[in-house]
Amino acid sequence: MADSELRQRKPHAAEDPIEPARKKKSPQQLVDEEEKYTYWIDALRVITFLFLASCALSYWISNGESFFWGQKNKPNYMRVDWWKAKMNGPLYLTPEELSAYDGKDPSKPVYIAINGTIFDVSLGRHIYGPGGSYNYFAGCDAARAFVTGCFAEDRTPDMRGVEDMFLPLDDPETDAQWTAAELEELKARELAVARQRVHEALKHWVNFFGNSKKYHRVGFVKRDEGWLEREPRRELCAAAQQGRTKRKPRHGGEK
Ligand SMILES: *[C@@H]1O[C@H](CO)[C@@H](O)[C@H](O)[C@H]1NC(C)=O
């Protein structure tokens, strides 16, 4: 009621409908608002200070391991090691250097490599470190083991011949359903499919580590030119070999 009376007495108030509220403010109201404003700025300053102080204290108490009191599964950007890895650029380690990061030394991070890329898996130390079920992968590039499932035998990035695990076994009886030329063509198709499956299987794990919120990329494995050719050819490991089946008979069994 009092407001509308006031407005009627002041012609300007009606002329400016955009900012009617401001016109009505008394000097006291303006002072109050000013105080409210500085109060918020102060509060924000205090909160920011407490936040940074907390980070600093956490960093100090955790010996430089965490800004956030060791909270588990925090996003990468909240982690000290992630920032360190970002700032320092990628690491280039030889296979020998990489082997020092197998988790035996508790003061060192745990690294695994896959297809030449090194990932820090320290947050999974209980599985990748000593005694963990994936310790086979620590300190080396065991790309082959990721695909064959032969953890102990296949701690190597040598993927040659892994496609055999996806190839059907020859069987004279079944294979007699095709002419020699047809069989050759069929085998070429099977080989292309098998190679694709190896690629997909490896890619699955490369993406798993690459997209992980827990683990992060730290660099690459440095190898001498032509290292692969100097490695002896490996047999397909027994478990993967046992998973192979005979070629399926021709559709309807027709000749
Ligand atoms: C593995 O690395 C090679 C060469 O760096 C690349 O061409 C290939 O696509 C990679 N494979 C996967 C599955 O990421």
Side-chain angles (χ1 to χ4, degrees):
M1 242 344 225
D3 265 9
S4 61
E5 275 169 27
L6 209 69
R7 214 177 284 151
Q8 274 166 6
R9 259 182 266 147
K10 283 183 172 177
H12 295 310
E15 276 164 26
D16 189 357
I18 297 163
E19 290 189 306
R22 187 179 278 184
K23 292 260 151 65
K24 277 188 283 170
K25 268 173 204 157
S26 67
Q28 186 52 47
Q29 269 175 315
L30 285 175
V31 170
D32 284 352
E33 248 175 47
E34 193 86 342
E35 274 175 0
K36 233 188 266 171
Y37 176 74
T38 46
Y39 167 81
W40 276 112
I41 292 286
D42 280 346
L44 214 63
R45 273 199 200 116
V46 170
I47 288 165
T48 310
F49 170 78
L50 286 177
F51 177 77
L52 292 177
S54 159
C55 291
L57 198 61
S58 165
Y59 185 85
W60 180 63
I61 286 181
S62 66
N63 282 323
E65 269 170 25
S66 169
F67 289 125
F68 292 91
W69 304 99
Q71 177 201 338
K72 284 262 185 289
N73 291 334
K74 50 194 168 282
N76 277 333
Y77 61 83
M78 286 194 180
R79 296 214 315 264
V80 176
D81 48 2
W82 185 81
W83 278 105
K84 275 187 190 157
K86 282 260 141 176
M87 309 281 235
N88 298 340
L91 272 180
Y92 289 90
L93 301 179
T94 65
E96 292 70 38
E97 289 163 344
L98 179 59
S99 68
Y101 297 89
D102 61 357
K104 283 200 195 77
D105 183 346
S107 69
K108 283 201 174 85
V110 187
Y111 292 162
I112 65 118
I114 181 163
N115 199 33
T117 305
I118 305 173
F119 294 93
D120 185 329
V121 294
S122 301
L123 286 180
R125 194 177 274 272
H126 56 293
I127 33 177
Y128 292 98
S133 46
Y134 291 157
N135 185 230
Y136 296 106
F137 296 104
C140 66
D141 187 334
R144 189 183 183 96
F146 277 104
V147 178
T148 61
C150 297
F151 296 179
E153 303 96 306
D154 284 347
R155 296 179 74 234
T156 170
D158 181 356
M159 298 299 285
R160 292 173 304 175
V162 175
E163 63 271 15
D164 288 359
M165 69 185 282
F166 297 121
L167 286 179
L169 290 167
D170 289 334
D171 173 53
E173 205 178 305
T174 319
D175 296 351
Q177 296 176 316
W178 289 273
T179 67
E182 282 172 341
L183 197 59
E184 197 181 325
E185 204 182 293
L186 178 63
K187 283 186 175 184
R189 281 204 303 274
E190 287 169 348
L191 185 60
V193 170
R195 288 196 171 134
Q196 185 59 28
R197 285 182 72 182
V198 171
H199 178 78
E200 295 297 330
L202 186 59
K203 202 166 124 220
H204 168 83
W205 289 108
V206 168
N207 291 346
F208 171 81
F209 289 103
N211 299 332
S212 169
K213 292 209 163 40
K214 229 168 131 185
Y215 310 135
H216 58 274
R217 201 192 76 188
V218 288
F220 304 97
V221 187
K222 201 166 55 178
R223 286 179 197 276
D224 297 335
E225 195 78 29
W227 67 273
L228 188 58
E229 287 67 40
R230 287 195 291 276
E231 294 276 310
R233 288 292 288 225
R234 320 181 125 247
E235 297 267 303
L236 189 61
C237 64
Q241 181 64 33
Q242 272 160 26
R244 295 178 66 183
T245 54
K246 282 191 241 171
R247 187 168 283 109
K248 290 210 174 62
R250 225 172 166 160
H251 287 303
E254 87 269 38
K255 283 262 160 180

